[in-house]
Amino acid sequence: MTDSTDPQDTGNDTGSDAGSRPSWWRRLSSGLKRTSASIGGAIADLVTKRKLDHAVIEELEEALIRADLGIETAVAIAGKVGEGRYDKQVSADEVKAILAEEVEKILVPVAKPLVIDAARKPFVVLVVGVNGSGKTTTIGKLAARLTAEGRKVVLAAGDTFRAAAIEQLKIWGTRTGSPVIAGAQGGDAASLAFEALEAARTRAADVLIVDTAGRLQNKTALMGELEKIVRVMRKVDATAPHAVLLVLDATVGQNALSQVEVFSKIAGVTGLVMTKLDGTARGGILVAVAAKFGLPVHFIGVGEGVDDLSPFAAKDFARAVAGIDG
């Protein structure tokens, strides 16, 4: 096993959410452009020249379903639009306002920060998700946030299936000043997690973040590997892991629902991070995920930069989905 870090790089180039809202809002609204444009175009087509009737409501439902908001959510929102407005002219802005309000109601209960319990030291965060979802990059960005807050972080390169994941995590370790416990490609991930937890305790680290493989095509093997990681870590700390974060790729649409279901069963997911909110994202799926599973959403990622991971804000997300400015 190797321990990689660069003590000269403290990762203090992470930026801050404070004072940067206009920039953040532009990135968020741009990242949800595909969803908001799809919904906005459909709304405009439906209400510009027609009075509200059952046919319009049904077409609105279909547009919201196509935007991945989920059937139940689409029906509820369309029903809300119709309340007291049948046979009346309604503007696109009115419909968007109702949409934003109803989406916000769904998202507010799940918009929860990741709380690091200082009494559990190190606080162990197990990060799971399919390969390609952005797990390793998310770990790096999270490490940057935590070190900027003054916390001592150790990273564990537990995705031993991919050499690229190990090297990528080492780069993030250097950027954030976080020691990286890593082994050779193909090594035993559970043994590495055990060693990383012991190393984190020896170093009096505040947080240990553990990367994992995400080979969903073989659920049985993945389940066995994750269960073993948890089992061996509990030999060092009976309460570990203290958080299990599932990283979801916003571009996968409906597949996100099955990923949440599978990883919740395999790993006991405690919270979500949605990544890759770019111009191709199908971000409406986060609304469907929230409505169906009710899992806390801690962060969303809107780019590749170290400061492009931000705490999830329900109102901002809802307004961006609806295509409402600022």
Side-chain angles (χ1 to χ4, degrees):
M1 308 290 177
T2 60
D3 177 344
S4 170
T5 186
D6 180 350
Q8 300 304 312
D9 188 336
T10 61
N12 289 330
D13 61 341
T14 57
S16 169
D17 296 327
S20 61
R21 192 183 186 285
S23 173
W24 166 251
W25 173 257
R26 282 194 298 271
R27 284 181 286 168
L28 177 61
S29 56
S30 176
L32 287 167
K33 200 68 179 176
R34 175 176 175 176
T35 299
S36 63
S38 170
I39 294 174
I43 290 173
D45 289 344
L46 288 172
V47 304
T48 299
K49 298 178 181 179
R50 297 167 61 184
K51 290 183 178 180
L52 211 60
D53 57 20
H54 287 290
V56 170
I57 293 299
E58 287 182 1
E59 289 177 51
L60 178 59
E61 284 178 12
E62 292 172 4
L64 296 176
I65 291 169
R66 287 195 301 272
D68 293 315
L69 269 68
I71 295 174
E72 292 182 7
T73 299
V75 170
I77 291 172
K80 202 72 175 178
V81 170
E83 285 182 6
R85 297 180 180 86
Y86 279 102
D87 294 324
K88 295 180 181 179
Q89 200 76 39
V90 60
S91 72
D93 285 345
E94 284 181 87
V95 177
K96 287 181 180 180
I98 294 168
L99 169 63
E101 182 180 349
E102 294 305 308
V103 168
E104 184 180 352
K105 287 178 184 177
I106 294 169
L107 296 179
V108 163
V110 302
K112 297 177 181 178
L114 174 63
V115 178
I116 306 296
D117 184 356
R120 302 189 183 281
K121 193 169 181 175
F123 186 88
V124 180
V125 181
L126 189 67
V127 181
V128 301
V130 300
N131 288 337
S133 63
K135 288 194 312 299
T136 308
T137 299
T138 296
I139 289 170
K141 293 177 182 179
L142 180 56
R145 289 189 67 90
L146 295 173
T147 54
E149 292 170 3
R151 303 181 196 271
K152 189 173 182 179
V153 179
V154 171
L155 307 179
D159 185 356
T160 57
F161 184 71
R162 296 187 306 126
I166 298 171
E167 294 309 310
Q168 187 181 12
L169 200 65
K170 287 180 179 179
I171 292 170
W172 277 108
T174 298
R175 293 182 69 183
T176 62
S178 304
V180 178
I181 309 303
Q185 181 183 3
D188 182 56
S191 296
L192 186 135
F194 179 88
E195 181 174 324
L197 182 48
E198 286 198 317
R201 293 185 78 174
T202 299
R203 294 167 181 266
D206 299 300
V207 182
L208 169 66
I209 309 178
V210 183
D211 196 5
T212 62
R215 306 182 302 280
L216 260 193
Q217 63 269 31
N218 189 340
K219 296 177 191 175
T220 303
L222 179 60
M223 182 182 295
E225 182 173 288
L226 290 173
E227 286 176 345
K228 187 178 177 183
I229 288 173
V230 171
R231 188 168 64 251
V232 300
M233 284 197 299
R234 285 180 177 167
K235 292 180 180 179
V236 183
D237 181 347
T239 64
H242 307 113
V244 180
L245 303 188
L246 171 60
V247 178
L248 294 171
D249 177 344
T251 66
V252 301
Q254 290 294 315
N255 284 339
L257 291 167
S258 60
Q259 288 178 23
V260 175
E261 187 169 0
V262 169
F263 276 103
S264 292
K265 290 178 181 177
I266 291 176
V269 174
T270 63
L272 305 175
V273 180
M274 177 157 275
T275 64
K276 302 186 182 181
L277 280 166
D278 56 33
T280 64
R282 299 164 68 180
I285 192 61
L286 186 58
V287 182
V289 167
K292 182 172 182 178
F293 298 100
L295 284 166
V297 182
H298 299 311
F299 299 100
I300 54 173
V302 294
E304 293 301 316
V306 70
D307 60 343
D308 288 333
L309 184 73
S310 183
F312 179 65
K315 184 173 184 177
D316 285 352
F317 195 91
R319 292 175 69 82
V321 165
I324 297 175
D325 292 335

